[in-house]
Amino acid sequence: MSALEDVAFLETTIAHNRNERQWVCRLLTEKGFTVAGAATNFLLIDCGCNSESVAEKVLAHGVIVKPWTTTGFENWMRVTIGSENNNNRFLSQLLKITAIKKIRILLSAFDNSIVYVLKSISAQFTTRADQA
């Protein structure tokens, strides 16, 4: 109860959460993430891929997030605003993980395109004898 009576502490905590929340939200938005508006000490973020997978990977680096598992929201997670250091660690891990996932998706698409092109080229050089 004494913490609630410490007005200076409350004001400092509220200001910290507001500033950090705005900074994290702005950075994620600039990086292409969708962030649900909030006036609390947490953000809801669409990480662009399965949030349970992301949560496991950031947890391996000491960062705890809460993935949503409700149908239609599998890519969303809840992230609590923490200290500047904790927020930086979260952002660093999230950006690394999602960048790797994006690269894998691009490579997969690239691989599929190459296979298609090679099959198309191969089909052009197929002779009647090859088809018999």
Side-chain angles (χ1 to χ4, degrees):
M1 201 60 173
S2 62
L4 294 176
E5 295 170 359
D6 187 348
V7 176
F9 172 78
L10 285 173
E11 289 173 348
T12 301
T13 301
I14 290 168
H16 164 81
N17 283 339
R18 181 182 54 248
N19 293 337
E20 284 294 307
R21 182 183 64 244
Q22 289 171 348
W23 180 77
V24 170
C25 185
R26 184 174 58 249
L27 180 73
L28 289 172
T29 302
E30 288 172 1
K31 298 293 184 183
F33 292 88
T34 300
V35 182
T40 60
N41 68 333
F42 64 88
L43 292 172
L44 298 173
I45 301 165
D46 181 347
C47 57
C49 52
N50 184 281
S51 62
E52 286 185 286
S53 171
V54 172
E56 289 175 17
K57 288 180 174 75
V58 297
L59 181 59
H61 296 278
V63 179
I64 301 171
V65 299
K66 182 173 178 16
W68 272 12
T69 56
T70 304
T71 302
F73 294 96
E74 297 89 347
N75 292 350
W76 289 81
M77 66 178 139
R78 175 184 164 156
V79 179
T80 301
I81 298 300
S83 68
E84 182 178 336
N85 185 43
N86 288 341
N87 294 335
N88 288 338
R89 190 169 63 197
F90 160 71
L91 290 166
S92 173
Q93 292 306 314
L94 177 66
L95 294 174
K96 284 178 190 174
I97 291 164
T98 55
I100 290 168
K101 286 188 175 288
K102 288 176 185 175
I103 289 169
R104 286 184 179 148
I105 290 168
L106 289 172
L107 288 175
S108 175
F110 182 70
D111 286 347
N112 290 338
S113 295
I114 290 201
V115 168
Y116 174 78
V117 169
L118 291 175
K119 284 182 179 178
S120 297
I121 291 171
S122 177
Q124 291 178 9
F125 293 102
T126 303
T127 65
R128 280 185 237 166
D130 294 332
Q131 295 175 355

